[in-house]
Amino acid sequence: MARDDMPQSDFRDAILWHLAYTLGKDPDHAQVFDWRLALSHAVRDRIVDRWMAATRATYRADAKRVYYLSMEFLIGRLLQDNIVNLQLADEAQAAVESFGLDYAGLLLDEPDAALGNGGLGRLAACFMESLATLGCPAYGYGIRYEHGLFRQSFAEGRQVEAPEDWLEQPFVWQFERPEARFTLGFGGRVATRDGRAVWEPESFVQAEAFDTPVIGWRGAWANTLRLWAGRAVDPFDLDRFNAGDFAAAVEAEALARTISRVLYPEDSTEKGKRLRLTQEYFFSAASIRDILRRFEADHADLRLLPQKVAIQLNDTHPAIAGPELVRILHDERGLPFDEAVGITRGCVNYTNHTLLPEALESWGEGLFADLLPRHLQIIDRIDEADAKAHPDRRNTARGDGKVRMGELSFILSNRVNGVSALHTGLMKTTVFADQHRIWPDRIVNQTNGVTPRRWLLGCNPRLSRLIAQTIGDGWVGDLEQLHALEPHVADAGWLDAFAAVKAANKADLCDWIAREHGVALNPQALFDVQIKRIHEYKRQHLNILEAIALWQEMRENPSADWTARVKIFGGKAAPGYFFAKDIIRLINDVAAVINADAATNEKLQILYLPNYNVTLAERLIPAADLSEQISTAGKEASGTGNMKFALNGAPTIGTLDGANVEIRELVGAENFFLFGLTAEEAEARRAVPDHAARAIAADPRLTRAVEAIRSGTFSPGEPDRYANIVENLTRADYFLVASDFADYWRAQREVDFAYANRTEWTRMAALNVARSGWFSSDRTIRGYMQDIWNAKSLLGQE
Ligand code: Z57
């Protein structure tokens, strides 16, 4: 039932109603901001009834619930996504335009909620949407960061970070739950009473819940994203205030709020700070309490927990949820220790997202004992029992004065999954080889996916329309239906229509770039796009080296028939990752020199767009011709941007890394530009003395490109600006940029050649679309439901 005090019949009326009664605005004075909020409220109303119905159905069925614990949810903007999933787009657009407003502008007025860094956080957001689409009863648990990922700008080519402020505006999609609060302890000591361990924390903080409904495709089901915010147990000290110490009166509150103040901007790099561990325990412990509260409301026997609860740890960040559950079951509920461990292991599963040693979390035991003394005892006890049962165990959670979170997550999990076939295989032979030998059934693969609602239907309306005209609209909820496009690639008329979609998307992007950044791009050029976090293993420096070499060759041979290219970069560097920041500056410096060269700038342009985020990805991906997925083989666990590009008709130039391998298998080797060493070859190459110097010496193009950087071509007057990069490339080169350069160059020239035959290229692009249906996150979530959670869909029971 809809709210009956409000006219629901007409969407227009609903917007006007909210403008007046929710926002208190006179339509005559309302700004875009007010209209956007009013529209959001009108959309939200259509979600709420379905949301409650889904929650009631879950209670009624006493269904198993899935809990997705993630430090990051990179949700981006929600208004359009919600409108699309409720199939309200036409109605909403008509209503908005009837008020004389620009619909697209209204959607873009919403701040981009960047509660995550990159792939891991965006995966969590796609998963939430697919869980709702599939009617799997599920909750996402995370942190309601007051400041999401920093805003990036450039000053003289260098990255400048500014705080991000998404909560400065009302966040319409959330419901505050003051009744759902938990008090969490930190520090203190462990006492023994009646032979039982009792944790006596030293300080306490409250976690308060904020719920955002997540609606699935066609609005059939809705789940909850519950984000925790820190607050003080006693937010205001009246005695201190009355004594005139106003700052001290609110000190406890300021401290508690610090916990959920800001997202750590590190991504796959070191972040071993006390506040980070505090954040991890804060949201994990609050979530565990919430899970137990919900279970115990309807069940008396805690041994049934694994039948009713599946907990997924998104990387090791929430790993402390395991020991916390053991602690509550054993210390507080009185179950025998081994039983508490068994129940915990029956509920918990862990997704590993990286094999990079610098990204595998570990904590010094001093810090850990200081913050979580009882958890350390519990971890030691589990580890010791494990060592006894398996005397040949080598990798344990404890040892060397550290707590290793990967090992901890593994031993407390029922299933451990990798995120692509290659990555899962490497888990078994490298970091988790020891564990895999002992528990050979624990590691499973679930290759990542992306939601087609946001990453095709929402972001690429032109392509979506063409697809719908060709094969109907069943693909949105069943992406493998895209295969039905395949026969049409033989139809010249259809291919023209496909090419026209890409051209129009590119024209839109050009308009936007001209408006926002004052740069005129050549829309006929091949749009070559690399957008992702800046990291050595992702090798943006390989891409820019190729650009330098190409520019040099174009200058040398100006009359050759060069394929015109626009190279677009986007991505943020962790503020403390200096090498990555050097790469950003280098790209900007190279762009400045090359773009200013009248001899080449019709054929080669380089653009680094600042502040890459979900919104920018939604603009760029539909307009891309070529997807750069050029990580050193063995280092990118999966990638998900790679899937979005393929799905939007941009073939990949890439290595055999992560899910690239599966993309290539599915779209066909002839529709994928492969280059580079395999993971195995890469490992072997590192052992070759002077591999970098040799590769450079053997390739005159690479020699000349490196020399240009070294001699200051891109940093006039300051030739040593990039000494660090040059030194790394010529000596260590752990990521094998030099070793892969020649083959990358070759593959890029194949791209040039293929793009010159536009019909063939369009066919290749269209086949990428037709064959990417498997990469829907619906497929991934079905896999988790079957192989990991044993969870059932409740669709149709709401
Ligand atoms: C992150 O975004 C990923 C892994 C991490 O360990 C951290 Br921390 C952050 C990424 C991987 O690098 C991608 O390859 C992968 O596609 C993504 O997680 C989702 O699995």
Side-chain angles (χ1 to χ4, degrees), residues 71 143 186 255-264 271-282 363 367 371:
M71 200 72 180
I143 298 176
F186 292 89
L255 264 172
R257 295 211 176 215
T258 302
I259 295 182
S260 50
R261 186 88 63 196
V262 43
L263 166 78
Y264 268 81
K271 47 202 157 261
K273 297 280 175 350
R274 186 190 185 92
L275 176 61
R276 170 82 179 191
L277 183 57
T278 306
Q279 287 184 331
E280 293 184 358
Y281 178 68
F282 166 80
W363 300 99
L367 165 62
L371 213 57

Side-chain angles (χ1 to χ4, degrees), residues 118-121 123 267-269 271 315 317 353-354 359 419 448 537-538 636-640:
L120 170 145
L123 184 76
D267 185 270
S268 305
T269 43
K271 47 202 157 261
D315 217 296
H317 318 144
H353 295 268
T354 184
V419 290
N448 286 165
Y537 83 80
K538 296 179 187 283
E636 187 71 270
S638 163
T640 45

Side-chain angles (χ1 to χ4, degrees), residues 549-558 562-563 600 603-604:
L550 180 58
W551 172 62
Q552 291 169 328
E553 205 138 313
M554 282 176 169
R555 286 175 60 90
E556 208 168 60
N557 199 351
W562 296 103
T563 292
T600 55
K603 295 288 182 187
L604 181 62

Side-chain angles (χ1 to χ4, degrees), residues 281-571:
Y281 178 68
F282 166 80
F283 99 94
S284 303
S287 307
I288 289 294
R289 272 149 229 246
D290 207 32
I291 292 167
L292 279 174
R293 176 191 58 71
R294 202 169 289 119
F295 174 82
E296 289 179 323
D298 292 329
H299 308 87
D301 187 352
L302 283 163
R303 287 171 303 185
L304 295 180
L305 204 64
Q307 289 175 35
K308 297 296 169 191
V309 168
I311 296 171
Q312 193 67 33
L313 307 177
N314 194 25
D315 217 296
T316 58
H317 318 144
I320 195 64
E324 173 71 359
L325 183 53
V326 173
R327 188 187 69 78
I328 294 178
L329 294 177
H330 177 62
D331 293 3
E332 296 187 1
R333 302 290 193 276
L335 292 179
F337 190 81
D338 292 347
E339 202 169 353
V341 172
I343 292 171
T344 299
R345 198 175 280 139
C347 297
V348 174
N349 309 284
Y350 153 54
T351 305
N352 173 277
H353 295 268
T354 184
L355 306 172
L356 296 179
E358 67 268 32
L360 297 175
E361 287 188 300
S362 79
W363 300 99
E365 69 186 3
L367 165 62
F368 205 96
D370 201 39
L371 213 57
L372 303 167
R374 178 57 183 148
H375 298 78
L376 191 61
Q377 293 178 344
I378 289 171
I379 295 167
D380 280 338
R381 190 163 163 189
I382 298 170
D383 227 23
E384 278 158 26
D386 183 32
K388 232 182 240 156
H390 308 283
D392 54 343
R393 268 284 264 138
R394 273 167 288 142
N395 295 343
T396 50
R398 297 278 287 112
D400 310 334
K402 295 220 175 302
V403 184
R404 285 190 289 266
M405 303 305 262
E407 281 77 6
L408 174 65
S409 303
F410 197 104
I411 60 179
L412 273 180
S413 288
N414 188 238
R415 289 280 180 270
V416 175
N417 78 284
V419 290
S420 73
L422 178 75
H423 166 68
T424 303
L426 289 170
M427 282 170 70
K428 294 178 183 175
T429 54
T430 62
V431 272
F432 294 113
D434 188 36
Q435 289 89 331
H436 180 58
R437 187 171 48 80
I438 297 170
W439 298 285
D441 299 329
R442 198 167 294 184
I443 298 180
V444 296
N445 180 240
Q446 298 298 341
T447 297
N448 286 165
V450 302
T451 168
R453 273 70 67 183
R454 183 180 292 259
W455 296 111
L456 183 48
L457 184 59
C459 74
N460 200 341
R462 289 192 186 92
L463 183 55
S464 299
R465 230 171 287 131
L466 175 63
I467 296 172
Q469 283 161 10
T470 313
I471 63 169
D473 63 3
W475 57 274
V476 181
D478 177 14
L479 202 60
E480 297 256 27
Q481 287 186 24
L482 291 180
H483 277 295
L485 293 172
E486 273 200 43
H488 298 272
V489 305
D491 171 347
W494 190 86
L495 272 192
D496 283 346
F498 186 94
V501 163
K502 186 62 85 181
N505 289 345
K506 288 170 74 174
D508 277 359
L509 179 65
C510 288
D511 287 349
W512 179 80
I513 287 174
R515 242 184 304 124
E516 291 292 311
H517 298 285
V519 179
L521 296 180
N522 170 9
Q524 302 304 317
L526 179 149
F527 283 18
D528 162 343
V529 183
Q530 187 174 20
I531 42 175
K532 51 184 80 242
R533 283 303 283 256
I534 310 304
H535 209 297
E536 285 163 278
Y537 83 80
K538 296 179 187 283
R539 300 198 294 190
Q540 282 90 357
H541 47 337
L542 173 58
N543 191 345
I544 200 67
L545 270 171
E546 194 266 339
I548 294 169
L550 180 58
W551 172 62
Q552 291 169 328
E553 205 138 313
M554 282 176 169
R555 286 175 60 90
E556 208 168 60
N557 199 351
S559 57
D561 189 17
W562 296 103
T563 292
R565 264 193 205 238
V566 175
K567 270 189 186 273
I568 299 175
F569 292 84

